[in-house]
Amino acid sequence: MPLIPEEPQIHESAQGPRATPASGRTAPTPRPVPGPRPAAPSRPGRPGPVRPTPPVQRTPRDVASTPGPSAPATPSVSASATPQIQLIPASAAGALDAAEEAVDLLLESGRAPGEVLVITTGELHPWAAHELSFGEASYWAQHDTGDDVFYADVAALERAAVRPVVVVAVNGGSATVGATALPSAHARAGALLIVCGDPQEINSVLGTAI
């Protein structure tokens, strides 16, 4: 008669491997998951009045593609020295936008905001119109402080002080206004005069009046 093998009995001592590390080995310590990096600190704003922020996307304008203005190699030039002249071709409708871009490039190249004066021959720059709504005394006080870009129209040129860089936006006005504005702006530019407008008109004025 065949023998029936007995079923193996599972004793409590015959359990599976314990979840303990082998002798001489240390269980790895979980590494912490790095959190998100802190955002870079924003650049502090300039003191004094804040210029209107240009729109993120501007509409196409009739401006010829020319190299943007850059600050001259000499950081400080005497007001008696002959300033460099740069011309940025632009239509009357696009001259103000071209002047804004010129100012942005000047600041990015290292120019201090208080070194820049912007003149318009036609419609006032929005910043100037806004500040003048609070009165001329407050408006010119910011000019005298000299710690930010200052915007004025051609009629205020006689009162404006000399600054290292003068940017002129020929955004309207008669030919007589342009003929008057450019020589006056040239006289107030210590190192660099940037003119945004019609090249033929500007060259005819600069060639005869300066």
Side-chain angles (χ1 to χ4, degrees), residues 33-74:
V33 179
R37 294 183 179 178
S42 57
R43 185 175 61 181
R46 301 195 305 273
V50 179
R51 294 192 298 115
T53 303
V56 176
Q57 183 177 4
R58 292 173 174 160
T59 55
R61 50 186 169 78
D62 183 20
V63 180
S65 176
T66 58
S70 58
T74 305

Side-chain angles (χ1 to χ4, degrees), residues 13-51:
S13 60
Q15 297 178 354
R18 297 182 180 179
T20 56
S23 176
R25 298 179 57 186
T26 304
T29 303
R31 299 178 60 184
V33 179
R37 294 183 179 178
S42 57
R43 185 175 61 181
R46 301 195 305 273
V50 179
R51 294 192 298 115

Side-chain angles (χ1 to χ4, degrees), residues 102-208:
V103 171
D104 290 341
L105 289 173
L106 287 166
L107 299 181
E108 290 173 3
S109 68
R111 280 287 178 186
E115 295 182 348
V116 183
L117 170 67
V118 180
I119 300 297
T120 56
T121 63
E123 184 179 356
L124 275 173
H125 187 279
W127 181 91
H130 177 266
E131 294 301 322
L132 280 169
S133 67
F134 298 102
E136 288 200 6
S138 172
Y139 171 74
W140 284 105
Q142 297 181 62
H143 166 271
D144 297 338
T145 300
D147 57 3
D148 203 357
V149 179
F150 191 77
Y151 296 82
D153 66 356
V154 64
L157 257 178
E158 294 300 323
R159 188 170 176 178
V162 173
R163 290 199 177 190
V165 184
V166 176
V167 181
V168 180
V170 186
N171 62 333
S174 64
T176 304
V177 171
T180 304
L182 295 183
S184 297
H186 183 265
R188 281 159 179 75
L192 178 63
L193 172 65
I194 301 172
V195 186
C196 307
D198 178 73
Q200 185 175 0
E201 177 185 348
I202 294 170
N203 284 327
S204 64
V205 173
L206 293 178
T208 57

